[in-house]
Amino acid sequence: MMFPPARSPHQYMGPQLYRKIEKGEIGTLEALHQLSEAHPRGPAAQEPSQREQAAAAAALWELNQLVGLSEVKKTVEEIGAYIEIGKQREAHHLNCEPLVLHMIFSGNPGTGKTTVARLLGRLFQGLGVLSRGHLVEVERADLVGEYIGHTAQKTREQVQKAMGGMLFVDEAYSLGRGGAKDFGKEAVDLLVKAMEDYRHDFVLILAGYSREMASFLKLNPGLSSRFPIQIAYPDYSAAELLEIAAMMARRRHYSFSGAAKAKLQRFLSGRQGELNFSNARLVRNILEKAIRRQALRLSGREEPGREELITLEAADLAVERS
Amino acid sequence: MNLAMAVVGTAGAGKTLFCINFAEYMGAGSLSYSEVSGGNERRALLSPAGARNLMVGRGRRGNGVLRTFTVHLTGPLRRLSLIDTAALPERDPLPRFERSRLALTLQAVAGADLILLLIDVSCADPAHEEFNERAEGSLAAYCRQQGKLFLTGGSKADLLKRAPEKHRRRPLYAGANLLLISSVTGLGFARVRGLIRGGAALSAAGSSRQVIN
Ligand SMILES: Nc1nc2c(ncn2[C@@H]2O[C@H](COP(=O)(O)OP(=O)(O)O)[C@@H](O)[C@H]2O)c(=O)[nH]1
Ligand SMILES: [Mg+2]
């Protein structure tokens, strides 16, 4: 159906307007007027158009293009299938569990959490689950305030910004540090309330290191059960990181020489399993540095050829172990 | 492609009869419909005559609910959902029981591609007319901003004693004409169908939708 009636009204017209009507603060004419004044949210057809379905397919395709992440891909496929089947069940008048898509992502930095979250937003929008599908990335400092009342204001602001899409709280475990008096606790409570109130058009993702997230969840009993989707992001293997590096380079119209690849491989294998090993982010930094070093190396040449302009040599890689 | 049309208007404007008769006109032999109220949804199938008996008129069952009739079609427009909304309550402040109805109606408006506002042209109460004009202004502005098709229909045109031309000239919103409709005689149905098909063609072509009338 074009218009799934089982959804809550504020998904379509904004919670404030809905609240004013429910409180009897405004009548029909004022409500209609405010509706016309509200921010444009684009065509509101609930059933995804062909264009949106194509966007969902593209997001899924891009996800599958990502190196590694096999567990993540499987989970996302399950979510997609669940949404699709839910629609078909609805068409057959079968009971559907309400879709709750709040998630916990645990893993080291640079393991693909943000990238996956962005793609999920696009996927959910394409499937008609989220109206906008954008990603708002925040961390503790964006949510937690300095004085009483400040946290509520800051957190609500971010939730509002993420409405229709996803709120991605990086290093979410840091909300749990500082004990009971800390304002972080208040932010957590507000987020929990938001995920209940707006669950029809808002997805909350808490992300952070596996160990820290686990103890954060242990300290906040009842929190874990509100996140039906929990995905662990393992560190990339050296081979996967090498593949990522090659892909990143290709996108920028560069490529590694054979010697450069071997050097990078040696370096990455050596650092595997190290604490604070920052995965894909590390690879990107190495690549960006290599690009700058190559430029410096070539700037002394007369007229470097196309091949030279593309190739990153072993000497460009600043990966000597310190 | 699928289109949803929300039919809105004050109580007794003729929303329900329009939905049933227009669905029948579009070729629906039996009406599959769903009703939402108080967070519950029920679905059923009825003949058009049965639906008229059950649902049309004041005090009828389901006047406070949101009801969707689904018509399956052939051609590029595969499915048309006609949403028979709860009436737009004229009382201000809103009595408690009408608040969630208004919310439901606005929800339907927000979820639809096409909005048909029905105004009973056989009723000449000035207060009522002013209400309709203001509602129409906001709805038209909202639809323009959201890229939805908007259409105002003067319902119960068969009851008009004066020449229909007079009503057709009535400058309601920004010079828009009133499309005269009678669910009893079928006056205006062909034009509504044409506009819906035109709207379907427009959105299929990817061009931005617009206010029509
Ligand atoms: N003569 C005439 N009566 C109509 C027409 N449309 C609706 N009515 C009558 O107006 C009354 C209210 O109609 P209904 O569809 O229930 O209005 P709703 O409350 O807006 O859904 C009923 O008695 C209908 O029979 C019409 O086009 N012509
Ligand atoms: Mg009715």
Side-chain angles (χ1 to χ4, degrees):
Chain A
M1 226 181 0
M2 202 78 190
F3 163 56
R7 297 198 178 179
S8 78
H10 51 237
Q11 170 168 19
Y12 304 107
M13 52 196 231
Q16 295 96 335
L17 181 54
Y18 180 69
R19 234 175 276 134
K20 283 188 215 160
I21 294 171
E22 283 300 335
K23 283 192 187 153
E25 284 169 15
I26 54 173
T28 303
L29 291 175
E30 185 52 30
L32 286 173
H33 177 70
Q34 292 195 10
L35 188 68
S36 73
E37 295 279 343
H39 285 298
R41 287 184 86 179
Q46 291 320 305
E47 187 146 301
S49 67
Q50 266 167 0
R51 198 178 58 228
E52 280 168 335
Q53 274 164 5
L60 211 52
W61 189 80
E62 274 180 51
L63 182 76
N64 280 304
Q65 291 282 98
L66 296 180
V67 174
L69 298 171
S70 58
E71 273 307 301
V72 179
K73 288 173 188 166
K74 220 172 77 204
T75 309
V76 171
E77 217 166 275
E78 278 168 18
I79 299 169
Y82 184 70
I83 293 170
E84 275 305 314
I85 292 301
K87 277 189 203 153
Q88 291 177 30
R89 285 179 58 92
E90 199 175 86
H92 285 274
H93 307 193
L94 295 165
N95 260 342
C96 291
E97 290 288 310
L99 200 59
V100 181
L101 294 170
H102 303 305
M103 306 178 208
I104 289 178
F105 286 3
S106 49
N108 287 329
T111 46
K113 297 188 292 292
T114 316
T115 310
V116 170
R118 264 202 208 102
L119 288 172
L120 283 179
R122 284 168 51 198
L123 179 70
F124 291 162
Q125 197 225 351
L127 292 172
V129 176
L130 288 175
S131 59
R132 293 171 65 197
H134 62 302
L135 187 76
V136 175
E137 278 180 71
V138 298
E139 50 186 40
R140 182 186 155 96
D142 301 305
L143 300 173
V144 176
E146 319 267 305
Y147 46 86
I148 295 190
H150 196 199
T151 300
Q153 181 201 328
K154 288 178 92 171
T155 302
R156 273 200 205 106
E157 217 168 84
Q158 299 299 343
V159 169
Q160 271 319 316
K161 258 198 246 165
M163 205 49 69
M166 317 212 278
L167 184 64
F168 184 90
V169 185
D170 211 357
E171 291 172 49
Y173 55 85
S174 66
L175 295 173
R177 75 174 184 224
K181 288 234 182 70
D182 186 78
F183 288 136
K185 177 89 180 66
E186 188 187 351
V188 172
D189 293 342
L190 288 162
L191 289 175
V192 165
K193 187 164 160 26
M195 64 197 270
E196 294 293 320
D197 288 356
Y198 309 125
R199 80 189 112 110
H200 298 284
D201 201 14
F202 169 70
V203 169
L204 178 66
I205 299 179
L206 301 186
Y209 292 103
S210 320
R211 179 117 41 94
E212 280 80 352
M213 284 308 287
S215 57
F216 169 64
L217 291 174
K218 221 183 270 164
L219 281 173
N220 294 269
L223 200 55
S224 187
S225 66
R226 294 172 194 272
F227 294 87
I229 302 168
Q230 306 199 359
I231 303 180
Y233 288 73
D235 282 350
Y236 291 109
S237 68
E240 284 170 345
L241 284 175
L242 203 61
E243 205 181 315
I244 290 171
M247 199 178 66
M248 284 176 172
R250 258 201 312 281
R251 277 209 199 118
R252 292 163 164 87
H253 288 181
Y254 286 95
S255 85
F256 294 104
S257 72
K261 247 184 230 163
K263 185 173 177 187
L264 189 56
Q265 161 113 51
R266 267 197 312 279
F267 169 75
L268 290 170
S269 315
R271 294 211 50 184
Q272 269 283 294
E274 263 177 45
L275 215 56
N276 287 332
F277 178 68
S278 57
N279 283 294
R281 220 168 290 172
L282 171 73
V283 165
R284 195 177 60 215
N285 291 340
I286 293 173
L287 173 68
E288 281 167 1
K289 198 155 182 200
I291 288 173
R292 289 195 299 272
R293 283 169 62 121
Q294 184 236 34
L296 195 64
R297 174 169 60 79
L298 293 182
S299 65
R301 298 276 174 85
E302 256 315 284
E303 238 180 74
R306 182 185 163 83
E307 206 48 41
E308 277 178 301
L309 287 168
I310 289 174
T311 309
L312 298 169
E313 302 287 356
D316 299 326
L317 289 170
V319 294
E320 272 71 39
R321 307 213 58 180
S322 51
Chain B
M1 90 160 300
N2 306 320
L3 276 185
M5 175 158 91
V7 182
V8 297
T10 53
K15 299 178 295 296
T16 305
L17 187 62
F18 173 83
C19 286
I20 296 169
N21 286 7
F22 189 70
E24 192 174 24
Y25 172 82
M26 292 294 280
S30 59
L31 298 173
S32 72
Y33 70 95
S34 75
E35 283 180 358
V36 180
S37 69
N40 294 316
E41 183 185 4
R42 58 186 295 276
R43 293 163 190 265
L45 201 70
L46 261 179
S47 70
R52 278 189 290 269
N53 260 333
L54 190 69
M55 301 168 178
V56 176
R58 272 184 196 274
R60 275 324 173 126
R61 225 197 86 237
N63 267 353
V65 307
L66 190 62
R67 186 188 289 122
T68 305
F69 296 99
T70 306
V71 186
H72 294 274
L73 303 162
T74 52
L77 178 59
R78 297 235 320 276
R79 191 168 58 190
L80 176 66
S81 302
L82 296 165
I83 307 169
D84 180 16
T85 63
L88 291 174
E90 290 175 82
R91 271 180 283 183
D92 197 0
L94 277 179
R96 188 165 288 276
F97 71 97
E98 291 199 313
R99 293 176 194 164
S100 51
R101 290 183 186 176
L102 175 61
L104 265 180
T105 298
L106 296 192
Q107 178 189 2
V109 163
D113 307 282
L114 210 160
I115 314 297
L116 172 64
L117 172 67
L118 284 184
I119 295 178
D120 180 351
V121 289
S122 71
C123 162
D125 174 3
H128 184 68
E129 259 186 69
E130 199 205 310
F131 177 92
N132 275 326
E133 272 178 43
R134 289 184 53 195
E136 185 183 30
S138 297
L139 278 170
Y142 169 74
C143 289
R144 183 173 295 147
Q145 171 210 49
Q146 294 282 311
K148 297 170 189 283
L149 293 164
F150 179 69
L151 178 62
T152 309
S155 67
K156 307 192 193 175
D158 56 294
L159 296 179
L160 285 178
K161 298 202 177 67
R162 284 176 287 167
E165 279 71 27
K166 282 214 173 124
H167 288 272
R168 206 170 271 142
R169 309 240 62 186
R170 196 174 126 194
L172 260 169
Y173 174 74
N177 289 330
L178 198 59
L179 169 64
L180 288 175
I181 291 177
S182 167
S183 303
V184 173
T185 66
L187 176 73
F189 276 19
R191 185 132 159 75
V192 175
R193 181 182 59 187
L195 291 170
I196 290 174
R197 290 211 184 275
L202 263 183
S203 32
S207 64
S208 66
R209 295 178 226 165
Q210 52 185 252
V211 177
I212 50 174
N213 212 342

